[in-house]
mmCIF file of all heavy atoms in Angstrom:
data_model
loop_
_atom_site.group_PDB
_atom_site.id
_atom_site.type_symbol
_atom_site.label_atom_id
_atom_site.label_comp_id
_atom_site.label_asym_id
_atom_site.label_seq_id
_atom_site.Cartn_x
_atom_site.Cartn_y
_atom_site.Cartn_z
ATOM 1 N N GLU A 147 -29.368 4.555 -19.521
ATOM 2 C CA GLU A 147 -29.385 4.964 -18.027
ATOM 3 C C GLU A 147 -28.395 6.146 -17.838
ATOM 4 O O GLU A 147 -28.847 7.102 -17.129
ATOM 5 C CB GLU A 147 -28.636 3.801 -17.326
ATOM 6 C CG GLU A 147 -29.568 2.897 -16.531
ATOM 7 C CD GLU A 147 -28.818 1.722 -15.908
ATOM 8 O OE1 GLU A 147 -27.721 1.931 -15.453
ATOM 9 O OE2 GLU A 147 -29.325 0.577 -15.910
ATOM 10 N N MET A 148 -27.307 6.083 -18.572
ATOM 11 C CA MET A 148 -26.434 7.284 -18.436
ATOM 12 C C MET A 148 -26.978 8.486 -18.937
ATOM 13 O O MET A 148 -26.776 9.587 -18.382
ATOM 14 C CB MET A 148 -24.988 6.930 -19.161
ATOM 15 C CG MET A 148 -23.888 7.759 -18.704
ATOM 16 S SD MET A 148 -23.700 8.178 -17.054
ATOM 17 C CE MET A 148 -23.203 6.638 -16.316
ATOM 18 N N LEU A 149 -27.665 8.386 -20.155
ATOM 19 C CA LEU A 149 -28.316 9.700 -20.711
ATOM 20 C C LEU A 149 -29.415 10.224 -19.784
ATOM 21 O O LEU A 149 -29.418 11.463 -19.525
ATOM 22 C CB LEU A 149 -28.968 9.280 -22.031
ATOM 23 C CG LEU A 149 -28.023 9.069 -23.219
ATOM 24 C CD1 LEU A 149 -28.713 8.323 -24.368
ATOM 25 C CD2 LEU A 149 -27.609 10.419 -23.699
ATOM 26 N N GLY A 150 -30.034 9.306 -19.072
ATOM 27 C CA GLY A 150 -31.006 9.631 -18.083
ATOM 28 C C GLY A 150 -30.357 10.429 -16.881
ATOM 29 O O GLY A 150 -30.898 11.291 -16.322
ATOM 30 N N ALA A 151 -29.215 9.801 -16.435
ATOM 31 C CA ALA A 151 -28.435 10.360 -15.305
ATOM 32 C C ALA A 151 -28.139 11.828 -15.449
ATOM 33 O O ALA A 151 -27.840 12.503 -14.473
ATOM 34 C CB ALA A 151 -27.255 9.507 -14.886
ATOM 35 N N VAL A 152 -27.787 12.162 -16.673
ATOM 36 C CA VAL A 152 -27.398 13.569 -16.940
ATOM 37 C C VAL A 152 -28.540 14.460 -17.596
ATOM 38 O O VAL A 152 -28.160 15.519 -18.272
ATOM 39 C CB VAL A 152 -26.176 13.631 -17.908
ATOM 40 C CG1 VAL A 152 -24.918 12.920 -17.204
ATOM 41 C CG2 VAL A 152 -26.366 13.041 -19.252
ATOM 42 N N ASP A 153 -29.776 13.933 -17.521
ATOM 43 C CA ASP A 153 -30.884 14.485 -18.090
ATOM 44 C C ASP A 153 -30.762 14.917 -19.581
ATOM 45 O O ASP A 153 -31.039 15.941 -20.126
ATOM 46 C CB ASP A 153 -31.176 16.079 -17.352
ATOM 47 C CG ASP A 153 -31.326 15.732 -15.791
ATOM 48 O OD1 ASP A 153 -31.891 14.773 -15.386
ATOM 49 O OD2 ASP A 153 -30.635 16.638 -15.051
ATOM 50 N N ALA A 154 -30.229 13.877 -20.182
ATOM 51 C CA ALA A 154 -30.029 13.987 -21.690
ATOM 52 C C ALA A 154 -30.886 12.998 -22.480
ATOM 53 O O ALA A 154 -30.845 13.003 -23.632
ATOM 54 C CB ALA A 154 -28.603 13.748 -22.149
ATOM 55 N N ALA A 155 -31.809 12.409 -21.777
ATOM 56 C CA ALA A 155 -32.705 11.355 -22.368
ATOM 57 C C ALA A 155 -33.558 11.972 -23.475
ATOM 58 O O ALA A 155 -33.908 11.462 -24.563
ATOM 59 C CB ALA A 155 -33.517 10.648 -21.394
ATOM 60 N N GLY A 156 -34.000 13.271 -23.260
ATOM 61 C CA GLY A 156 -34.913 14.011 -24.224
ATOM 62 C C GLY A 156 -34.300 14.204 -25.475
ATOM 63 O O GLY A 156 -34.968 14.401 -26.546
ATOM 64 N N PHE A 157 -32.944 14.261 -25.654
ATOM 65 C CA PHE A 157 -32.347 14.486 -26.914
ATOM 66 C C PHE A 157 -31.422 13.494 -27.295
ATOM 67 O O PHE A 157 -30.391 13.703 -28.066
ATOM 68 C CB PHE A 157 -31.770 15.956 -27.054
ATOM 69 C CG PHE A 157 -30.961 16.352 -25.755
ATOM 70 C CD1 PHE A 157 -29.533 15.999 -25.687
ATOM 71 C CD2 PHE A 157 -31.532 17.028 -24.777
ATOM 72 C CE1 PHE A 157 -28.834 16.319 -24.575
ATOM 73 C CE2 PHE A 157 -30.738 17.436 -23.662
ATOM 74 C CZ PHE A 157 -29.506 17.085 -23.528
ATOM 75 N N ALA A 158 -31.644 12.187 -26.881
ATOM 76 C CA ALA A 158 -30.757 11.114 -27.084
ATOM 77 C C ALA A 158 -30.520 10.835 -28.553
ATOM 78 O O ALA A 158 -29.447 10.469 -29.047
ATOM 79 C CB ALA A 158 -31.336 9.900 -26.423
ATOM 80 N N ASP A 159 -31.567 11.118 -29.365
ATOM 81 C CA ASP A 159 -31.533 10.781 -30.828
ATOM 82 C C ASP A 159 -31.197 11.927 -31.618
ATOM 83 O O ASP A 159 -31.294 11.999 -32.887
ATOM 84 C CB ASP A 159 -32.662 10.037 -31.370
ATOM 85 C CG ASP A 159 -32.786 8.742 -30.697
ATOM 86 O OD1 ASP A 159 -31.818 8.042 -30.867
ATOM 87 O OD2 ASP A 159 -33.843 8.321 -30.120
ATOM 88 N N SER A 160 -30.871 13.153 -31.035
ATOM 89 C CA SER A 160 -30.597 14.313 -31.839
ATOM 90 C C SER A 160 -29.134 14.312 -32.247
ATOM 91 O O SER A 160 -28.246 13.779 -31.512
ATOM 92 C CB SER A 160 -30.908 15.617 -30.946
ATOM 93 O OG SER A 160 -32.325 15.720 -30.741
ATOM 94 N N ARG A 161 -28.926 14.889 -33.333
ATOM 95 C CA ARG A 161 -27.594 15.068 -33.858
ATOM 96 C C ARG A 161 -26.771 15.954 -32.807
ATOM 97 O O ARG A 161 -27.165 17.023 -32.371
ATOM 98 C CB ARG A 161 -27.627 15.702 -35.192
ATOM 99 C CG ARG A 161 -26.347 15.720 -36.078
ATOM 100 C CD ARG A 161 -26.625 16.397 -37.391
ATOM 101 N NE ARG A 161 -27.152 15.454 -38.392
ATOM 102 C CZ ARG A 161 -26.631 15.265 -39.521
ATOM 103 N NH1 ARG A 161 -25.544 16.059 -39.953
ATOM 104 N NH2 ARG A 161 -27.064 14.479 -40.408
ATOM 105 N N MET A 162 -25.610 15.588 -32.489
ATOM 106 C CA MET A 162 -24.695 16.195 -31.498
ATOM 107 C C MET A 162 -24.431 17.676 -31.849
ATOM 108 O O MET A 162 -24.600 18.526 -31.052
ATOM 109 C CB MET A 162 -23.413 15.526 -31.433
ATOM 110 C CG MET A 162 -22.517 15.808 -30.275
ATOM 111 S SD MET A 162 -23.209 15.484 -28.640
ATOM 112 C CE MET A 162 -21.756 16.063 -27.657
ATOM 113 N N GLY A 163 -24.212 17.926 -33.143
ATOM 114 C CA GLY A 163 -23.809 19.230 -33.581
ATOM 115 C C GLY A 163 -25.035 20.115 -33.481
ATOM 116 O O GLY A 163 -24.837 21.426 -33.640
ATOM 117 N N ASN A 164 -26.252 19.647 -33.335
ATOM 118 C CA ASN A 164 -27.377 20.536 -33.392
ATOM 119 C C ASN A 164 -27.875 20.899 -31.894
ATOM 120 O O ASN A 164 -28.736 21.703 -31.620
ATOM 121 C CB ASN A 164 -28.640 19.855 -34.039
ATOM 122 C CG ASN A 164 -28.494 19.892 -35.532
ATOM 123 O OD1 ASN A 164 -27.610 20.626 -36.068
ATOM 124 N ND2 ASN A 164 -29.270 19.088 -36.262
ATOM 125 N N LEU A 165 -27.183 20.334 -30.949
ATOM 126 C CA LEU A 165 -27.538 20.595 -29.527
ATOM 127 C C LEU A 165 -26.929 21.885 -29.060
ATOM 128 O O LEU A 165 -25.947 22.386 -29.680
ATOM 129 C CB LEU A 165 -26.932 19.497 -28.540
ATOM 130 C CG LEU A 165 -27.511 18.045 -28.895
ATOM 131 C CD1 LEU A 165 -26.916 17.030 -28.046
ATOM 132 C CD2 LEU A 165 -29.042 17.985 -28.699
ATOM 133 N N SER A 166 -27.501 22.454 -27.991
ATOM 134 C CA SER A 166 -27.018 23.769 -27.373
ATOM 135 C C SER A 166 -25.706 23.403 -26.600
ATOM 136 O O SER A 166 -25.306 22.223 -26.424
ATOM 137 C CB SER A 166 -28.002 24.333 -26.487
ATOM 138 O OG SER A 166 -28.098 23.553 -25.205
ATOM 139 N N GLY A 167 -24.910 24.423 -26.253
ATOM 140 C CA GLY A 167 -23.724 24.261 -25.529
ATOM 141 C C GLY A 167 -23.949 23.420 -24.252
ATOM 142 O O GLY A 167 -23.050 22.513 -23.960
ATOM 143 N N GLY A 168 -24.917 23.763 -23.506
ATOM 144 C CA GLY A 168 -25.174 23.071 -22.265
ATOM 145 C C GLY A 168 -25.586 21.555 -22.430
ATOM 146 O O GLY A 168 -25.202 20.678 -21.693
ATOM 147 N N GLU A 169 -26.275 21.355 -23.583
ATOM 148 C CA GLU A 169 -26.770 20.003 -23.856
ATOM 149 C C GLU A 169 -25.529 19.120 -24.228
ATOM 150 O O GLU A 169 -25.342 18.053 -23.838
ATOM 151 C CB GLU A 169 -27.815 19.905 -24.903
ATOM 152 C CG GLU A 169 -29.129 20.589 -24.536
ATOM 153 C CD GLU A 169 -30.092 20.866 -25.595
ATOM 154 O OE1 GLU A 169 -29.614 20.976 -26.717
ATOM 155 O OE2 GLU A 169 -31.314 20.895 -25.352
ATOM 156 N N GLN A 170 -24.684 19.715 -25.096
ATOM 157 C CA GLN A 170 -23.403 19.034 -25.465
ATOM 158 C C GLN A 170 -22.585 18.764 -24.263
ATOM 159 O O GLN A 170 -22.027 17.584 -24.193
ATOM 160 C CB GLN A 170 -22.645 19.913 -26.468
ATOM 161 C CG GLN A 170 -23.218 20.001 -27.883
ATOM 162 C CD GLN A 170 -22.305 20.674 -28.858
ATOM 163 O OE1 GLN A 170 -21.171 21.124 -28.431
ATOM 164 N NE2 GLN A 170 -22.660 20.777 -30.147
ATOM 165 N N GLN A 171 -22.440 19.628 -23.435
ATOM 166 C CA GLN A 171 -21.675 19.476 -22.134
ATOM 167 C C GLN A 171 -22.154 18.293 -21.436
ATOM 168 O O GLN A 171 -21.428 17.486 -20.917
ATOM 169 C CB GLN A 171 -21.758 20.716 -21.285
ATOM 170 C CG GLN A 171 -20.621 20.862 -20.335
ATOM 171 C CD GLN A 171 -19.345 21.008 -20.877
ATOM 172 O OE1 GLN A 171 -18.487 20.199 -20.859
ATOM 173 N NE2 GLN A 171 -19.035 22.201 -21.439
ATOM 174 N N ARG A 172 -23.475 18.149 -21.293
ATOM 175 C CA ARG A 172 -24.090 17.016 -20.469
ATOM 176 C C ARG A 172 -23.883 15.728 -21.162
ATOM 177 O O ARG A 172 -23.566 14.785 -20.558
ATOM 178 C CB ARG A 172 -25.545 17.252 -20.394
ATOM 179 C CG ARG A 172 -25.913 18.081 -19.172
ATOM 180 C CD ARG A 172 -27.321 18.167 -18.859
ATOM 181 N NE ARG A 172 -27.796 19.274 -19.510
ATOM 182 C CZ ARG A 172 -29.151 19.511 -19.713
ATOM 183 N NH1 ARG A 172 -30.056 18.605 -19.331
ATOM 184 N NH2 ARG A 172 -29.538 20.651 -20.293
ATOM 185 N N VAL A 173 -23.798 15.625 -22.522
ATOM 186 C CA VAL A 173 -23.596 14.449 -23.245
ATOM 187 C C VAL A 173 -22.033 14.058 -23.159
ATOM 188 O O VAL A 173 -21.812 12.802 -22.965
ATOM 189 C CB VAL A 173 -23.871 14.633 -24.729
ATOM 190 C CG1 VAL A 173 -23.560 13.344 -25.600
ATOM 191 C CG2 VAL A 173 -25.492 14.846 -24.981
ATOM 192 N N LEU A 174 -21.227 15.052 -23.063
ATOM 193 C CA LEU A 174 -19.880 14.793 -22.947
ATOM 194 C C LEU A 174 -19.555 14.246 -21.633
ATOM 195 O O LEU A 174 -18.598 13.424 -21.373
ATOM 196 C CB LEU A 174 -19.001 16.022 -23.287
ATOM 197 C CG LEU A 174 -19.044 16.476 -24.687
ATOM 198 C CD1 LEU A 174 -18.218 17.810 -24.888
ATOM 199 C CD2 LEU A 174 -18.371 15.376 -25.682
ATOM 200 N N ILE A 175 -20.238 14.728 -20.531
ATOM 201 C CA ILE A 175 -20.106 14.268 -19.121
ATOM 202 C C ILE A 175 -20.565 12.891 -18.988
ATOM 203 O O ILE A 175 -19.876 12.046 -18.566
ATOM 204 C CB ILE A 175 -20.875 15.125 -18.247
ATOM 205 C CG1 ILE A 175 -20.230 16.579 -18.067
ATOM 206 C CG2 ILE A 175 -20.981 14.526 -16.803
ATOM 207 C CD1 ILE A 175 -20.970 17.552 -17.378
#
Side-chain angles (χ1 to χ4, degrees):
Chain A
E147 262 174 37
M148 193 44 71
L149 283 162
V152 299
D153 305 320
F157 44 86
D159 289 308
S160 292
R161 195 180 269 233
M162 190 66 177
N164 288 345
L165 299 178
S166 74
E169 290 167 339
Q170 285 190 358
Q171 197 67 252
R172 273 185 267 165
V173 175
L174 294 175
I175 290 167

